[in-house]
Amino acid sequence: MSDTAETRYDAVVVGAGLSGLYMLHRLRESGFSARVFEAGTDVGGTWYWNRYPGARCDIESMEYSYSFDEALQQEWEWTERFAGQPEILRYIEHVADRFDLRRDITFETRVLKAAFDEAACHWRIETDAGETVEAKALVMATGCLSSANLPEFEGRDSFLGETYHTGRWPHDHVDFGGKRVGIIGTGSSAIQAIPIIAAESEHLTVFQRTPNYSVPARNGPLDPDYVREVKAEYPEFRVHNRLMPAGFGSKGLGRNDVSALADGPAVREARFAERWEHGGFGFLGAYNDLLFNRDANETAADFVRERIRDTVKDPEVAERLCPDNVIGCKRICLDTRYFETYNRPNVELLAAGTHPIERITSAGVMVNVMNPETGEQEGSREISLDCIVFATGFDAMTGAVLSVDISGRGGRTLPDAWSAGPRTYLGLGTAGFPNLFMITGPGSPSVLTNMVVAIEQHVDWIGDCLEYLRREKLATIEATPEAQDAWVEHVNSVADKTLMPTCNSWYLGRNIPGKPQVFMPLIGFPPYAEKCAEVAANGYEGFVLR
Ligand code: N01
């Protein structure tokens, strides 16, 4: 085993997205040696891979950015209320340049394997470039939505046309002009891509398994007065956002702290309409019980269904687009003229109720044609296509972590430790895997929070923890099984008080056949951040330090 400065690091970080980049910066600031491995050719993570037409953030740009450096947040000029992918990527590249981060990042290199060496108390990490390095700490900055889900449709690989996955979009421009395009899926990615692909292509067929709720983003140029106002007190603005349940929105419409059932229909309609016009996630803040009470939830769901019926001219198509599940139990989508797109003559919606996908053929997609009254199959129809876009989402929250062959104490593998679903303490560590840290791991608020806020809180916690180990001359930190069991229980009990576990969402792993079904993110950022701070202040309570 080599012991050179080049191959031993205080920390190895996997991933150079928003979390890996800030982790590297923080490690350097604390005087640690660090190396980052990144599969892509450059920085950006989510915003590097998801270049599909229309890709845009659903958190406002003044909030979806780093707060750790005042000069950075003052100098960067966002142009739109919700930034598009190219602008976010430019921002991340700017951060990489500004803090000279690339020199410690090895691009186009995947970490294949990481094994904890108990005798030496370090991780041994192997890459697909044939390199092996050692590190005291291993930080998985692999993102929550980065392992693309490409379902095993029968005949998938026989299709002779072009295929794309929204989460693995090519870097070169994809020209849909004059082409017949099919898109599978109607989640956030599809809802953003569909209006643009419809406008560019000759014909677009949308294959919808489950209709989704979407509210208008109302994106537009940022108001310079608003930018000035935020920048005049950026640090305070960040503090206020961190105190919001999901880490954003302190200058928004806020949450109306009454039950939806306390207002009569006319007042309720006006409240929902105000938020619908305002645009963005604030819609679900119209009342305080929309995610807790089924009847309250139904009032918001009804409002959105009515807007779909107002917008889509063909009543049958409108009905196919109306979801009947709980609004907000899947991540709500933000759109720009999504439902309007179904009024175009070159767009067809095939819903699984009447036209489920049977298989993919060399020429397109074969659907079964079902009788809507009897549910009996009446025949099949082949949709001829030049391109298929898979907007089929991700193996969320665990997919990327588990794609690395990680083994901890006694050679136990992570897939074995997580065979019944992910088990973590605070979403930061997992029992049996010393000095393994996850940024925005399962069991932390992560995807239910403004991701940049969640990332900064985790990176700072990990940075402080590594400084503590160094100061106290400790070799390892590891979650205790008891603290972990109690934490998993806590995450589930918080979710069970809400309507969020009630549908087939990726929060529960239900989008991936065979994946254990566990509600993975923790609801509520501020109490979580407080708990993490308390754990650290109490000498890392719930962890064993050796
Ligand atoms: O993925 P999804 P996504 N046969 O899993 C369908 C974030 N994000 O990439 O609902 C047929 O939501 C699936 O159908 P169903 C955001 O957090 C943010 O769109 O499972 N269909 C669904 O319609 C988001 O939630 C932004 O029945 C199949 C779709 O594919 C998350 O990323 C933008 C299928 C997948 O939807 C994921 O969004 C984009 C099958 N076998 C993404 N398998 C913004 O910031 C799956 N589907 C705005």
Side-chain angles (χ1 to χ4, degrees), residues 52 56 58 185-189 192 209-210 330-331 391 393 506:
Y52 60 85
R56 187 174 290 288
D58 52 10
T186 49
S188 299
S189 304
Q192 292 185 324
R209 186 163 70 179
T210 315
K330 282 186 176 179
R331 188 180 177 103
W506 56 256

Side-chain angles (χ1 to χ4, degrees), residues 47 50 52 55-59 145 149 151-153 165-166 184-192 207-212 281 330-334 357 391-394 447 504 506-507 510-511:
W47 301 104
N50 287 266
Y52 60 85
R56 187 174 290 288
C57 192
D58 52 10
I59 303 288
L145 294 158
N149 168 39
E152 299 280 340
F153 293 105
H165 188 287
T166 47
I184 302 178
T186 49
S188 299
S189 304
I191 280 177
Q192 292 185 324
F207 299 92
Q208 170 188 275
R209 186 163 70 179
T210 315
N212 231 323
F281 282 140
K330 282 186 176 179
R331 188 180 177 103
I332 203 165
C333 305
L334 298 193
I357 295 175
T392 42
F394 302 91
V447 292
N504 292 331
W506 56 256
Y507 297 139
R510 288 204 184 135
N511 61 329

